[in-house]
Amino acid sequence: MARVIPEGWREVRTYDTALRREIETLERLAQHLPDDYWVYHGVHWTRLEARQTAFGEIDFVVVAPSGRVLLIEQKSGFLEEAPDGLHKKYGDRRKSVRAQIARNADALQARFAQSGAGKLRLETLLYCPDHRLRQPSVADIERERIVDASRDGELEAVIRSALPLDEPVPEAPPLERIHAFLRGEIALVPHVGAQVTRAEALYTRLSGGLAEWARRIECTPHRVRVVGTAGSGKTQLALALMRDAAGAGRRALYVCFNRPLADLMAQWIATERLVGAEARTYHQVCQLAAQASGAVVDFGDADAFARLEAAFAQGTPTDADRVDELIVDEGQDFEPAWRDALLRRVGPQARVWWLEDPMQNIYDRTPCAFDSWTTLHADVNWRSPPSVVGLLAEIDAGLRHVRSGSPLGDDEVPLVRWETPEEMFDATRRTITGWLASGFTLSQIAVITWHGRDRSLFTPLTQLGPHRLRRFTGSYDLLGSPQYDDGELMCDTLYRFKGRSAPCVVLTEIDFETFDDRVLRRLVVGATRATMRLALVLSARSMGALVTRLDASP
């Protein structure tokens, strides 16, 4: 197997056809070339030059033990054979394939000469796996250096012919100088798409530790409270518990306050086909109980939810109502009376789990007491980058026990000030534009508003700059799934996005006069939704209050 540099390419997921074809080629070269060869590639990597990201032109560079170098230019799709040569069309433009190969080879040779290492013994190869050349002469490339669709199965043989293993090794340039040059020339950092994929995989694996050891706890009665910071793995624990229950034939009920989170968990339950598991909001549980008793619920009444809560607390559960595994997530959102009402609906041998983070109590609920429960503390945030966790620790000393477990590097969190709504919209848009220029996609960015749908200035918008917004419409389909506008850029409120995350989060429309505990908790919720990048867009008075808080922090 050939040695591939850099590693990490197998982690890439892409819907770009050309990129996917290059990854397939890289897999083929890695598998079918002997381990005497090195394959350098730029398939999912970018080169940093003068503070700007530039995508490399060279697809593959294969190096033989002799030091001979083969530059491979891959052209997927169909090519245009014209009297003036072979061309590849990019939209309305057409580029000469021969000119591209020559330019890349000349540039690589010139840069190697500038390094003072001499001259590369450089070969070139055109690989066009989808196109069958009808007139090879128009390409102005030696036929033996073209592998088209008619010779696709000969690719590895052609490479080995161009780079014979039995060729003697010349004194200059030394092989180690060639490898040092190529590593430095490529100057690679992971492309953003690969970074996002790696971040998701790492977070899932690292935060899964809580699910592993928490499930080993034995206590009678089984009443376990997990106090876990944002990103500690509480959601992974909840999913693992439901899998355990389904596998053992026990009935499991997952309950939270936040409707989007309950919908997401219900989707996971359906995807994994966890028989006997259900995910509901607390008020959905109350509503189902009311309907089962024949009560009619009119949500047009101002006190409809209060009456639902009271009826559920006073009702007498039947054996059919009882569950074997009760999982309460985001427990800080629950009133003590709600907890007591739920506990009346568990079986005698039921296992009960209470997952919470007091620093995310944005509804100012009265904390529940857990005097006789077994309590675990999880203080590592595996999801958020160090800059986010560090900023929160600077803002409040009470958060300094929380540390970031994310192994990914990150940028500082920009604090952007605005005075008018127009400036706020413009700052939000410019932040998104910057992330897009860095290689992130719209699907990896979320705009989170400080205010709810009833107060947010984003609520009536369908577009932000050139980007169509994907917003909750306020309605659900017949299966109970939330309906969203057909946009590409997620825009939601801090309250609704609670329990979810995105690689890039711009927390915008932030506006408060005094920095109090409730503001702190809302800031914690919004900031910890980001897994890679975070930006805070604050009003002038909010910026002043935050800076004062930071200056006063010991």
Side-chain angles (χ1 to χ4, degrees):
M1 177 179 288
R3 283 166 281 189
V4 177
I5 302 172
E7 300 178 349
W9 52 277
R10 287 188 174 89
E11 300 173 2
V12 179
R13 292 191 308 239
T14 180
Y15 297 100
D16 182 275
T17 302
L19 178 56
R20 187 168 64 248
R21 294 302 304 279
E22 291 182 17
I23 293 173
E24 291 171 356
T25 301
L26 185 57
E27 173 71 40
R28 178 175 172 179
L29 297 179
Q31 289 291 334
H32 298 294
L33 287 179
D35 56 11
D36 304 272
Y37 293 99
W38 289 264
V39 180
Y40 290 84
H41 68 96
V43 169
H44 69 292
W45 300 71
T46 58
R47 185 173 66 253
L48 297 182
E49 295 180 342
R51 300 184 180 181
Q52 293 185 353
T53 301
F55 287 89
E57 292 284 341
I58 299 173
D59 296 322
F60 307 101
V61 178
V62 183
V63 182
S66 64
R68 189 174 293 276
V69 176
L70 176 66
L71 187 157
I72 302 178
E73 182 78 21
Q74 177 167 331
K75 294 298 181 186
S76 301
F78 296 100
L79 304 176
E80 178 183 302
E81 299 181 36
D84 59 341
L86 189 64
H87 295 79
K88 174 70 176 178
K89 294 196 69 174
Y90 300 90
D92 296 331
R93 297 178 302 161
R94 60 199 291 267
K95 291 185 177 181
S96 166
V97 174
R98 175 71 181 92
Q100 278 187 287
I101 294 175
R103 183 173 59 250
N104 291 338
D106 291 344
L108 192 66
Q109 190 70 270
R111 287 193 291 269
F112 186 72
Q114 291 171 2
S115 72
K119 184 177 181 180
L120 287 172
R121 290 181 297 148
L122 185 62
E123 309 288 340
T124 59
L125 173 67
L126 170 62
Y127 178 44
C128 43
D130 305 316
H131 183 83
R132 185 186 296 267
L133 283 171
R134 298 184 302 276
Q135 306 174 68
S137 60
V138 304
D140 196 22
I141 301 171
E142 295 180 23
R143 185 65 180 96
E144 59 267 25
R145 289 293 184 263
I146 300 176
V147 176
D148 64 357
S150 67
R151 304 179 64 200
D152 188 55
E154 303 175 29
L155 176 62
E156 293 81 7
V158 172
I159 294 174
R160 297 181 68 166
S161 174
L163 305 176
L165 291 177
D166 57 357
E167 183 179 18
V169 180
E171 294 183 1
L175 184 61
E176 60 270 17
R177 289 293 299 273
I178 295 173
H179 288 298
F181 165 75
L182 288 173
R183 285 187 171 93
E185 173 62 25
I186 299 175
L188 296 172
V189 296
H191 183 269
V192 166
Q195 285 184 316
V196 171
T197 301
R198 181 168 179 256
E200 292 172 348
L202 286 171
Y203 168 60
T204 300
R205 186 174 78 243
L206 294 172
S207 62
L210 176 61
E212 179 65 27
W213 53 262
R215 287 151 60 210
R216 300 184 183 187
I217 293 175
E218 296 182 3
C219 54
T220 305
H222 194 286
R223 302 289 184 269
V224 177
R225 175 192 179 213
V226 178
V227 182
T229 188
S232 60
K234 298 188 296 295
T235 299
Q236 283 83 348
L237 172 58
L239 281 169
L241 294 172
M242 286 189 285
R243 292 188 190 108
D244 291 345
R250 302 196 306 272
R251 182 184 176 194
L253 176 63
Y254 171 96
V255 187
C256 63
F257 177 75
N258 184 277
R259 175 66 186 268
L261 179 57
D263 292 336
L264 180 61
M265 295 299 287
Q267 291 174 8
W268 281 337
I269 289 172
T271 299
E272 297 197 19
R273 300 180 181 180
L274 302 181
V275 178
E278 296 179 358
R280 310 280 185 190
T281 67
Y282 179 72
H283 290 101
Q284 285 178 321
V285 174
C286 295
Q287 181 183 0
L288 289 173
Q291 292 173 342
S293 66
V296 177
V297 182
D298 183 1
F299 288 102
D301 293 344
D303 61 345
F305 287 99
R307 289 196 289 120
L308 266 180
E309 295 165 12
F312 183 68
Q314 296 167 8
T316 302
T318 65
D319 290 341
D321 296 325
R322 301 191 188 279
V323 297
D324 306 307
E325 193 103 17
L326 174 64
I327 305 151
V328 178
D329 199 3
E330 304 286 356
Q332 73 279 348
D333 296 340
F334 282 65
E335 298 281 2
W338 300 358
R339 178 201 60 180
D340 297 340
L342 286 171
L343 290 177
R344 295 173 58 235
R345 295 184 172 244
V346 300
Q349 304 299 320
R351 294 152 49 96
V352 181
W353 303 81
W354 188 275
L355 319 179
E356 68 174 4
D357 178 8
M359 285 309 302
Q360 296 189 59
N361 182 7
I362 60 176
Y363 299 105
D364 286 332
R365 308 290 194 203
T366 301
C368 298
F370 296 91
D371 297 335
S372 60
W373 289 49
T374 299
T375 301
L376 303 178
H377 291 271
D379 297 331
V380 179
N381 181 340
W382 302 103
R383 178 175 62 215
S384 302
S387 61
V388 172
V389 176
L391 175 63
L392 295 175
E394 286 185 47
I395 293 173
D396 189 87
L399 294 172
R400 291 178 184 171
H401 66 287
V402 177
R403 65 181 179 88
S404 171
S406 173
L408 301 177
D410 64 328
D411 296 337
E412 293 184 3
V413 177
L415 308 179
V416 187
R417 179 178 177 272
W418 57 270
E419 293 189 0
T420 67
E422 290 75 18
E423 291 179 352
M424 182 267 295
F425 287 128
D426 184 61
T428 304
R429 180 187 55 76
R430 283 188 285 106
T431 299
I432 294 167
T433 300
W435 286 336
L436 292 174
S438 297
F440 290 96
T441 64
L442 285 176
S443 64
Q444 295 163 345
I445 300 172
V447 175
I448 308 302
T449 66
W450 185 257
H451 300 299
R453 294 181 72 247
D454 57 335
R455 292 184 54 198
S456 175
L457 296 176
F458 281 82
T459 299
L461 298 185
T462 59
Q463 195 155 318
L464 180 64
H467 314 304
R468 290 181 296 111
L469 298 179
R470 177 175 172 79
R471 306 169 311 154
F472 175 55
T473 64
S475 61
Y476 297 85
D477 63 17
L478 295 177
L479 299 177
S481 299
Q483 298 298 287
Y484 288 87
D485 292 326
D486 186 22
E488 298 175 306
L489 176 62
M490 171 60 71
C491 181
D492 216 335
T493 70
L494 180 149
Y495 299 91
R496 282 187 48 84
F497 207 72
K498 187 168 172 285
R500 292 181 286 168
S501 63
C504 300
V505 169
V506 51
L507 182 56
T508 189
E509 207 176 38
I510 302 174
D511 186 33
F512 54 84
E513 186 171 358
T514 304
F515 197 109
D516 54 20
D517 286 345
R518 186 173 185 184
V519 167
L520 174 63
R521 293 193 295 268
R522 290 171 71 182
L523 195 59
V524 168
V525 169
T528 55
R529 300 310 97 199
T531 64
M532 296 184 71
R533 298 286 186 274
L534 170 69
L536 304 180
V537 181
L538 307 100
S539 67
R541 65 176 185 174
S542 300
M543 179 73 85
L546 179 58
V547 170
T548 299
R549 174 90 174 198
L550 288 169
D551 290 343
S553 180

